[in-house]
Amino acid sequence: METRVWHYDGRSGQRRMPAIVPGADERYFTLHGDDADPGPYAFADLEPHGTSHHERAFGLKGRPGWRITFMEFPPSEIAVQLPKPARYGKWIDRFGLWRSIGVLAVLAILTVGFTLKLPPLIARLIPKSVEQRMGRLMVGNLGTYACSTREGNAALKALGARLRQDGDVTIRVVHAPMVNAVAFPGGQVVLFDGLIQNAASPDEVAGVLGHELGHVAHHDGMESLVRQYGLKLLLGGFGSNISGYGNALLNARYSRKAEAGADGYAIGRLQAADISPLPTAALFARLAQQDKEPGNAGLLLNYLSSHPLSSSRERTFKESARAGATYRPALDAAQWQALRTMCGDSPSR
Amino acid sequence: MEHESERGAFEFTGSWREYAPIAFTNLLLTMVTLGLYSFWARTRTRRYLWSQTRFIDDRLEWTGTGRELFLGSLLVMLLVLVPIAALNLLAGGLVLQGSTIGRIVGVLLFPLSYGFLFALGGLAIFRALRYRLSRTYWHGIRGGSDAQGFRYALSYVGHSLVGSFVFGLLVPWAMISMWNERWNAMSFGPYPFRSGALTNGLMRRYLPFYLVPLMTVILAVLLAYAVGLKAADGQPNPLFVIGGGIVLYLLFAGLLGLVGLSYYAAYFRQGINNLTLGHLEFEFTARTMDWLKLTLGNAALVVCTLGVGAAFVSYRNWAFFVRHLRAYGMLDAEQFTQSTTPAPRQGEGLFDSLDMGAF
C-alpha cells in the first residue's frame, strides 16, 4: 500500500501529494509522483514539526520550508525511522516532565536561598578600609553637630571601655532631639542627644550602645545597604549617593534576626561588664508607653519604628538579669552628668 | 485557484481544553526555573496557536525556537542594557563629582541615554514584527524583511517628537505613519506588504482624550459645590469628600480606558483594512465593544483565578485576532515562491526587555 504525504518543497507554495517510499537502504526514502523532487532523503535529516497527535509534520535539515505531512499514522517500517517530536524541550523530554520539575524545584529553592544569603556574604567581603571610608562619609554632615567636652568625651570613652568596644569603633554624641542611635559602616556609632536626655540612667544608654555595637560587630549596616541597593552600591562608586545611603541607614529596618543578634550581643556585653540589663528593658517599656501619649508620637516614633519593639525583646533583657549578681552602674554620677551636659546645659529638646 | 470561501479565509480551530495542558505545564516549568523557561513556554504556546490557525487551505506553522528567544534576550542584556546602566551610573557620578565640565557632560548624558533607549523601542517594534513574520510558515513559505530596522528606529524617534507637538494632537498621524512605514518594509513569500492607512476618522476618536480630564474637573467642581450646600455648618462630611473622590477617580479611569479602546479599535481597523499582500486584501472587524469584551474578559480571567489565568491571556488575544481577521482576493500558489529576505538569527530579545509583548 502506498503512503501519500502532503509535501511542500520550500521553494514554491505549490502543494504536492507524492508517495513516500522507503529505500533499499532503510535509512533513506524517496518521494514519488506529483512532480515532487524524488530525493533520496535521509530519515536522520527529518526534523519533527508536528503539533497534533493525528498529524505528523516533518521538515528537512538545511531546507527551510520543506515539509512532509502524514495524514494518517504511517506504516511501521516508516514510523520506526521517524524522529520523535519534542514536547517540553530536549532536556526535559529526555529526563521526564515530573522528574525535571522535581529537580528544578530543588535547584530553584537552593538558588533563592543562596541569593538571600548573598548580602551578608558581600557585606563581609567589602574591605575594611572601604567600609571605614564609607562610614566617615555618611557621618559627614552629622559629624558637624557632634558634641565635645573634655569630661563628656572621657565619660563616653569610659562607657565604651566598659562595653569593651573595639579600637576601630568611633562613638559620637550628636546634638539632635531624636531618640535614636545609629551604627554606620566602619564602626561609626552615633548616639543622638535626645536618647541620652530621655534615659533615666547611664545603664539604659549602655544597653542601647551595646545594641549598636552589636550591629557594628555583625556588619548589619553594610548588609542592609547591600540588600537595598545591591550592585548599584558596588558599581556606582559609593561617593555618588552617600546622603541617600546615610538616610537609608537612619531609617533602616533590620531583619528580626539582625535585631535579635544585636540584642544578644548587647546582653553579652552588659553581663561581662556587670551592668544590669533591667534599665534597658525599662527603657523599652517606657518608650512604648510614652509613644501612646499624645504629643510625643513624632518624637519617639523614630526609634520605635526602626527598632520594632516587642514585649519579647523587653522580656529577653529582663530575663538575662541574674539573681544575686552585683551590678555596678555603667557610669558614676559625675561621668553621667558630663555625658548629659555634653551638648550644652539646656537639653536639646 | 485558492479563493476566499464563505467560512472566511482565516479560522481559529483551537480549544482551551487542548491548550490547558500546555498552559499549565508552561506555568509550572516557568516557576521552577525561576522564569528561565518562559522563552520555551512562549514558543510552545505559539506553536500551538499557529498550528490551530487555518488560512485558506492550510494551517500556519510557527518555527521559532525557545533557544533563539533566550539567546536574543541574553544578547540584548549584554550589548544594550548593561552599557546603558553603566552610562547612567557614569553620568550620575560625573554630576556629583562637581567639576563644571563633568557636570555638563553628565547632564548631557542623561537625555542622550534616554533618547537612545527610545530609538531602541522603535527598533524593537520593527524587529519583533520581522522576527515573527520570518518564523511564520504557510505552504512552506515564510515572511520577513530586507531592512534591519535602523532607519525605522530613527523615524520612530522623529515621529514621536513631532507627535508630541501641539499638545499631542499629531499622535494619530505619527502612529499611522509608523504603521505604514513598518508594514511597507515587510513581505511574505515573493510579495511585499503594502499599507496605505490614513488618519481618516481617527481624530474623532482621539479628541475625547482631551475631553475626559476637562469633564472630570467640571464634575469635581459641581460635586464639591453640592457637598458644600448639603453641609449646613460649612464643614463638609469627610466621608462625602472621600467617597466623591473615589467615584470621580473611577469615572475618570474608566472613561479614559473607554476612549483609549475606541481609539485603538479604529486605529487597528484603519491599519489592517488598508493592508494588502499581492492580490490579497485584509480586513479587521473588531469594534470597540469587542475590544472591551476582550479586555474585561482578560482582566476577569486574571483576577478571578488570582493570576493563574494569565497563562490563557495570549490564547485569548490570538483567538480574538484571528477571529476578526478577514482576507479577500486570490493567491496563486505557482507564483507564491520562497521569501528571499535574510532570516534574522536571534529572537525578539529587545522587544521583550522593553516589555512590549502581546501574544
Side-chain angles (χ1 to χ4, degrees):
Chain A
M1 199 195 96
E2 233 181 23
T3 311
R4 297 235 161 227
V5 287
W6 278 27
H7 172 57
Y8 299 113
D9 61 10
R11 296 193 189 102
S12 88
Q14 186 77 45
R15 182 165 59 214
R16 299 185 164 82
M17 289 200 71
I20 179 169
V21 181
D25 182 344
E26 59 188 13
R27 289 171 302 166
Y28 294 89
F29 65 90
T30 48
L31 297 176
H32 285 269
D34 209 4
D35 260 352
D37 179 1
Y41 307 95
F43 277 111
D45 284 344
L46 289 182
E47 293 165 337
H49 273 275
T51 37
S52 84
H53 43 87
H54 45 85
E55 261 188 33
R56 273 142 222 273
F58 296 89
L60 192 67
K61 201 173 277 171
R63 287 283 300 276
W66 190 99
R67 293 285 180 278
I68 53 172
T69 305
F70 293 91
M71 303 310 289
E72 53 216 38
F73 199 85
S76 56
E77 73 266 27
I78 293 177
V80 291
Q81 299 284 349
L82 295 173
K84 283 206 174 60
R87 197 155 174 208
Y88 303 106
K90 216 188 284 171
W91 293 350
I92 298 171
D93 288 342
R94 195 175 303 164
F95 208 57
L97 175 67
W98 292 107
R99 216 144 46 115
S100 304
I101 286 179
V103 171
L104 287 169
V106 170
L107 281 178
I109 290 167
L110 286 178
T111 309
V112 169
F114 179 71
T115 314
L116 290 178
K117 279 270 181 293
L118 219 47
L121 278 176
I122 292 175
R124 273 167 188 70
L125 278 178
I126 290 174
K128 209 167 188 176
S129 60
V130 173
E131 198 178 331
Q132 279 168 346
R133 215 185 116 206
M134 225 169 144
R136 276 200 300 276
L137 278 169
M138 281 184 200
V139 174
N141 219 4
L142 275 178
T144 57
Y145 294 97
C147 307
S148 176
T149 60
R150 201 161 52 83
E151 294 82 5
N153 291 348
L156 208 54
K157 208 167 174 188
L159 188 59
R162 279 288 298 277
L163 295 171
R164 280 191 287 148
Q165 75 172 85
D166 292 329
D168 291 335
V169 178
T170 311
I171 305 170
R172 287 189 183 83
V173 176
V174 162
H175 192 70
M178 283 95 80
V179 182
N180 205 350
V182 198
F184 290 109
Q188 302 283 340
V189 175
V190 170
L191 297 174
F192 290 88
D193 191 41
L195 176 84
I196 295 174
Q197 299 306 328
N198 204 286
S201 76
D203 294 2
E204 296 182 3
V205 178
V208 171
L209 185 58
H211 179 91
E212 297 305 327
L213 289 176
H215 282 316
V216 169
H218 300 152
H219 298 267
D220 288 335
M222 206 63 207
E223 187 185 323
S224 152
L225 285 180
V226 172
R227 247 184 238 289
Q228 282 187 61
Y229 293 95
L231 284 178
K232 204 179 162 196
L233 188 76
L234 303 175
L235 287 178
F238 44 79
S240 58
N241 187 22
I242 208 74
S243 58
Y245 297 150
N247 268 328
L249 275 191
L250 266 173
N251 300 309
R253 282 169 186 277
Y254 294 119
S255 65
R256 202 171 272 267
K257 210 172 133 197
E259 292 298 346
D263 279 352
Y265 185 93
I267 288 170
R269 287 296 150 112
L270 291 177
Q271 246 161 25
D274 289 328
I275 300 171
S276 169
L278 291 174
T280 308
L283 171 73
F284 283 144
R286 201 170 67 245
L287 287 175
Q289 196 55 44
Q290 284 182 12
D291 195 39
K292 285 180 194 152
E293 290 168 20
N296 278 335
L299 194 66
L300 298 168
L301 210 62
N302 211 340
Y303 196 78
L304 290 178
S305 67
S306 57
H307 294 77
L309 186 87
S310 64
S311 53
S312 79
R313 274 186 77 193
E314 185 196 331
R315 209 165 45 234
T316 320
F317 273 91
K318 230 182 221 166
E319 282 167 0
S320 75
R322 284 163 304 168
T326 47
Y327 289 121
R328 289 182 295 123
L331 293 172
D332 64 32
Q335 284 172 321
W336 178 226
Q337 190 56 28
L339 190 63
R340 280 179 70 85
T341 54
M342 226 176 146
C343 295
D345 279 332
S346 56
S348 56
R349 66 200 188 102
Chain B
M1 53 162 273
E2 284 140 3
H3 207 271
E4 190 264 327
S5 62
E6 276 308 299
R7 54 183 178 151
F10 285 100
E11 189 187 14
F12 182 65
T13 55
S15 80
W16 67 266
R17 275 191 205 83
E18 226 172 33
Y19 177 65
I22 297 176
F24 288 127
T25 48
N26 273 348
L27 193 68
L28 206 59
L29 283 166
T30 304
M31 279 196 307
V32 296
T33 54
L34 303 174
L36 210 61
Y37 189 75
S38 63
F39 304 105
W40 285 266
R42 195 143 17 114
T43 300
R44 285 181 69 210
T45 293
R46 283 192 198 154
R47 207 178 288 156
Y48 175 77
L49 295 177
W50 264 238
S51 77
Q52 297 299 327
T53 304
R54 182 189 57 75
F55 177 57
I56 306 181
D57 64 341
D58 203 359
R59 305 178 310 179
L60 301 184
E61 191 188 354
W62 177 258
T63 62
T65 64
R67 181 213 286 261
E68 69 196 9
L69 286 181
F70 172 63
L71 290 181
S73 274
L74 274 189
L75 214 64
V76 166
M77 289 278 227
L78 272 176
L79 294 181
V80 179
L81 296 187
V82 169
I84 284 189
L87 205 70
N88 264 329
L89 284 174
L90 180 76
L94 279 175
V95 168
L96 280 161
Q97 205 96 84
S99 80
T100 321
I101 297 172
R103 203 169 292 174
I104 291 171
V105 172
V107 166
L108 282 179
L109 275 179
F110 273 119
L112 221 74
S113 65
Y114 281 106
F116 182 58
L117 209 64
F118 207 73
L120 279 182
L123 189 67
I125 293 172
F126 187 92
R127 293 214 160 183
L129 184 59
R130 180 178 74 143
Y131 169 71
R132 286 175 192 183
L133 282 170
S134 77
R135 295 300 187 268
T136 300
Y137 276 77
W138 180 77
H139 273 230
I141 302 294
R142 66 171 173 84
S145 171
D146 280 319
Q148 295 281 319
F150 296 118
R151 187 194 292 256
Y152 180 86
L154 278 183
S155 178
Y156 180 77
V157 174
H159 276 81
S160 305
L161 271 178
V162 174
S164 64
F165 292 164
V166 226
F167 305 108
L169 269 175
L170 293 175
V171 164
W173 165 81
M175 284 176 76
I176 286 289
S177 302
M178 290 324 289
W179 171 283
N180 288 339
E181 195 169 331
R182 187 159 71 234
W183 278 100
N184 281 327
M186 301 291 158
S187 61
F188 203 96
Y191 303 117
F193 280 101
R194 284 292 160 250
S195 175
L198 301 167
T199 45
N200 287 355
L202 273 188
M203 258 351 232
R204 207 159 32 90
R205 306 262 188 145
Y206 184 72
L207 286 177
F209 272 119
Y210 300 90
L211 214 63
V212 172
L214 197 74
M215 259 170 52
T216 314
V217 169
I218 294 173
L219 255 173
V221 170
L222 284 178
L223 207 72
Y225 184 67
V227 170
L229 276 187
K230 269 254 171 83
D233 52 355
Q235 280 285 16
N237 188 338
L239 228 62
F240 274 124
V241 177
I242 294 169
I246 291 173
V247 167
L248 268 179
Y249 176 76
L250 287 179
L251 206 69
F252 177 69
L255 274 178
L256 212 61
L258 268 182
V259 171
L261 276 181
S262 97
Y263 168 73
Y264 196 74
Y267 161 76
F268 214 70
R269 280 202 307 274
Q270 177 67 225
I272 289 191
N273 294 358
N274 291 287
L275 196 64
T276 62
L277 176 72
H279 296 292
L280 282 177
E281 288 174 14
F282 297 96
E283 188 192 357
F284 198 68
T285 60
R287 321 275 319 173
T288 306
M289 209 46 176
D290 303 313
W291 283 95
L292 184 65
K293 276 186 213 152
L294 173 76
T295 320
L296 291 182
N298 282 348
L301 185 65
V302 173
V303 172
C304 297
T305 58
L306 301 175
V308 175
F312 285 91
V313 167
S314 53
Y315 174 93
R316 280 178 53 92
N317 286 349
W318 179 258
F320 174 82
F321 176 65
V322 174
R323 280 182 186 136
H324 289 99
L325 193 59
R326 303 271 183 278
Y328 307 96
M330 301 268 284
L331 199 65
D332 187 353
E334 287 284 357
Q335 312 227 312
F336 193 57
T337 51
Q338 188 56 283
S339 172
T340 55
T341 59
R345 300 264 296 282
Q346 28 145 327
E348 45 206 56
L350 194 56
F351 198 68
D352 282 343
S353 335
L354 300 174
D355 199 17
M356 301 168 119
F359 301 121

